[in-house]
Amino acid sequence: GESVGLHLPTLSVQEGDNSIINCAYSNSASDYFIWYKQESGKGPQFIIDIRSNMDKRQGQRVTVLLNKTVKHLSLQIAATQPGDSAVYFCAENLDSSYKLIFGSGTRLLVRP
Amino acid sequence: DTEVTQTPKHLVMGMTNKKSLKCEQHMGHRAMYWYKQKAKKPPELMFVYSYEKLSINESVPSRFSPECPNSSLLNLHLHALQPEDSALYLCASSQGGVNEKLFFGSGTQLSVL
């Protein structure tokens, strides 16, 4: 299930299940969105991106959905694996600038 | 080569010290970024260089001084830091236009005593 603790919200899933990580973004003028994965001791790693003229994009085992009406972004991971355990950040690009602003993050824990 | 390399990986400094963080990429990218990340928080944008010119300064205190000697290198000069500046400092690069994905280094973990 999903819980909000003192720090990062955490999503705990069983290995093999699908994971859905949600993100609310702030600026209706944002036109480019990215999902990053960050493992302990490492920098953020690019997963998938989507532009505002799309509402869905698929990669290998991952799908990003964009709902501009409610300013909501989600990342779906199919057949979640132990290696998917990490912190996931959504990020939005403000007003076609160089400003890439990160959301607060969700920790994904995969139970064996 | 698809890496952004940051040195040092760890740095401990006193409040009166002067130190520099270094970042290098050989992907031919023309935009480079500094982010600051506190524990359990998202990365926060500090500076952006585009084609070796400072494009964005997010109201960062002057004790942080960025430098972009050429298109492959990015430095962050540190002077008279405070303990609250202790954080992970991340460098990133992108091809050069807006609305592009950023490639991040592993960061420098900075502790200010």
Side-chain angles (χ1 to χ4, degrees), chain B residues 6-8 11 13-23 33-35 46-47 49 54 57 60-70 73-82 85 89-91 108 110 112:
Chain B
Q6 290 189 243
T7 55
L11 179 63
M13 61 186 291
M15 289 189 284
T16 58
N17 291 160
K18 286 186 181 181
K19 297 286 184 183
S20 296
L21 310 184
K22 298 188 181 299
C23 176
Y33 307 71
W34 281 115
Y35 279 80
M46 300 174 71
F47 302 104
Y49 274 83
L54 185 63
N57 176 344
V60 180
S62 59
R63 58 186 184 268
F64 296 90
S65 176
E67 179 197 19
C68 189
N70 60 56
L73 295 174
L74 185 67
N75 299 321
L76 186 63
H77 302 298
L78 313 173
H79 174 54
L81 294 195
Q82 303 297 310
D85 296 322
Y89 288 84
L90 291 162
C91 174
T108 294
L110 175 68
V112 182

Side-chain angles (χ1 to χ4, degrees), chain A residues 7-8 31-32 34 36 38 41-44 46 51 89 93 96-100 102-104, chain B residues 33 35 37 40-43 48 50 55-56 58 90 96-102 104-106:
Chain A
H7 304 290
L8 287 168
D31 48 12
Y32 177 60
I34 309 179
Y36 281 96
Q38 188 173 25
K42 296 184 178 180
F46 171 84
R51 301 190 185 276
F89 293 101
N93 221 119
S96 294
S97 73
Y98 286 105
K99 284 192 180 184
L100 187 69
F102 282 74
S104 55
Chain B
Y33 307 71
Y35 279 80
Q37 186 177 26
K40 294 182 169 56
K41 296 290 186 181
V48 181
S50 170
S55 176
I56 295 176
E58 288 287 271
L90 291 162
V98 296
N99 290 355
E100 294 175 344
K101 59 189 175 192
L102 273 59
F104 282 86
S106 291

